[in-house]
Amino acid sequence: MAHDKWGLLQRLIELIDDERNDIYLHVDAKGFAEFNRIGDVRTKVSNLHIIDNPVDVEWSDVSLCDAEVKLYNKVLETGVNYQYVHLLSGSDLPVMSQDSIHEFFNGRDEEFIDVRYNSIFKKRIKYYHFFVRGRKNNAFKNLMRRLLLLSQWFIIDRLKHAPIKYAYGSEWCSLTLRAVKEIVDKYAQYRYMFEKTTCSDEHYKQMILASSEKIFKFAKDGNLRYVRFDHRKASPRIITMEDLDEIMGSGCVFARKFQEGTEAYEKDVPACCFLKNKHIDEF
């Protein structure tokens, strides 16, 4: 999922361009015209599927879920029996070689997704959230959202009779095709639970999978994404060269987020990581 930074997006695609991989790309509707004009994203060997009629995505809004499900649905429509489907942002880069990544996932059946149940974010789902779209840079909308939230504090509990149980975790994940199918099959049924919420992208997959009659095994390793947040910041901080040693010791497969023009980007942190993750017979 991408919305800008086409040079970084092309670099990501180059690093996952492999005959064993297919790539599905959703570009935010707001950036789609610019992407078509100057994006110039291409592959050498991977099949590249670009989503037509993309979603107009807004931060924290259910449109993020809609865009993800559109990607997942496209994956299922092709009929290819993938072992894993990796959800990436346009600011992610892999920190293992493709051989190492395929070796890691070969034969596994766990879902690499954060699934947590403590109540810290229950208010995201428990109450109705209005004025979510565009609130990030609009103080009035954010104030109105908070005031309407307070008015529900003692009278509304959407979770009390909800058909699925509360859970949360990171948006980004690596799922088996079986889990992807479950999400696509159930999303339309439960979308109303996430429509007037905030940060629903960090809930809907976890809640659908955790509430399913099917049994899904959630990996203890989490989602295999290296990410760092500064205190009280909603978005992860930019990867720097100082993160290199920690990335290498993390056991993660992907890292986010990168930014063009930074030292880590220009000095090719992913290439440094690849060097330590190559097989002996590749040297």
Side-chain angles (χ1 to χ4, degrees), residues 26-188:
H26 179 280
V27 176
D28 186 347
K30 291 186 290 296
F32 200 61
E34 181 185 40
F35 167 76
N36 284 332
R37 186 174 74 255
I38 64 173
D40 197 28
V41 171
R42 62 174 71 90
T43 59
K44 292 181 179 179
V45 293
S46 291
N47 294 317
L48 176 62
H49 306 265
I50 299 176
I51 303 299
D52 295 324
N53 301 314
V55 177
D56 180 2
V57 175
E58 286 279 352
W59 177 80
S60 190
D61 182 52
V62 72
S63 55
L64 269 166
C65 309
D66 293 339
E68 287 184 21
V69 172
K70 198 158 193 171
L71 275 168
Y72 285 147
N73 192 57
K74 183 67 174 179
V75 168
L76 295 176
E77 284 178 354
T78 62
V80 179
N81 188 29
Y82 298 109
Q83 185 175 5
Y84 274 93
V85 180
H86 308 277
L87 180 65
L88 304 172
S89 85
S91 299
D92 293 5
L93 293 175
V95 291
M96 285 187 179
S97 69
Q98 284 303 308
D99 283 345
S100 295
I101 291 173
H102 280 267
E103 181 179 14
F104 177 86
F105 285 101
N106 185 42
R108 293 178 178 264
D109 63 353
E110 307 107 308
E111 311 304 332
F112 291 90
I113 181 172
D114 290 328
V115 181
R116 308 177 193 183
Y117 302 100
N118 60 55
S119 61
I120 185 171
F121 294 125
K122 267 192 174 181
K123 65 181 180 181
R124 294 175 174 177
I125 307 291
K126 185 177 180 179
Y127 308 110
Y128 291 97
H129 291 254
F130 303 94
F131 297 99
V132 171
R133 286 185 67 86
R135 74 178 174 89
K136 189 174 184 181
N137 299 308
N138 188 311
F140 173 75
K141 283 187 174 182
N142 205 30
L143 175 62
M144 290 301 297
R145 183 188 69 87
R146 290 177 180 274
L147 289 174
L148 290 169
L149 186 62
L150 285 172
S151 71
Q152 305 171 58
W153 208 259
F154 298 106
I155 57 176
I156 299 294
D157 186 352
R158 300 177 69 195
L159 288 169
K160 189 172 184 179
H161 301 293
I164 52 177
K165 63 183 179 181
Y166 162 82
Y168 78 96
S170 171
E171 173 183 6
W172 313 103
C173 56
S174 296
L175 301 176
T176 65
L177 197 65
R178 177 170 168 263
V180 168
K181 188 175 187 307
E182 181 73 3
I183 290 166
V184 171
D185 286 348
K186 296 293 177 60
Y187 181 65

Side-chain angles (χ1 to χ4, degrees), residues 233-248:
K233 293 290 183 67
S235 298
R237 67 171 177 79
I238 302 300
I239 295 291
T240 69
M241 291 300 294
E242 295 177 359
D243 294 302
L244 180 58
D245 288 341
E246 194 166 339
I247 290 173
M248 292 311 308

Side-chain angles (χ1 to χ4, degrees), residues 5-38:
K5 300 180 177 65
W6 313 126
L8 178 55
L9 175 62
Q10 176 60 41
R11 186 171 180 191
L12 166 61
I13 287 179
E14 288 170 358
L15 291 172
I16 60 176
D17 188 4
D18 186 284
E19 62 185 4
R20 295 165 291 186
N21 301 334
D22 290 335
I23 301 171
Y24 296 79
L25 175 62
H26 179 280
V27 176
D28 186 347
K30 291 186 290 296
F32 200 61
E34 181 185 40
F35 167 76
N36 284 332
R37 186 174 74 255
I38 64 173

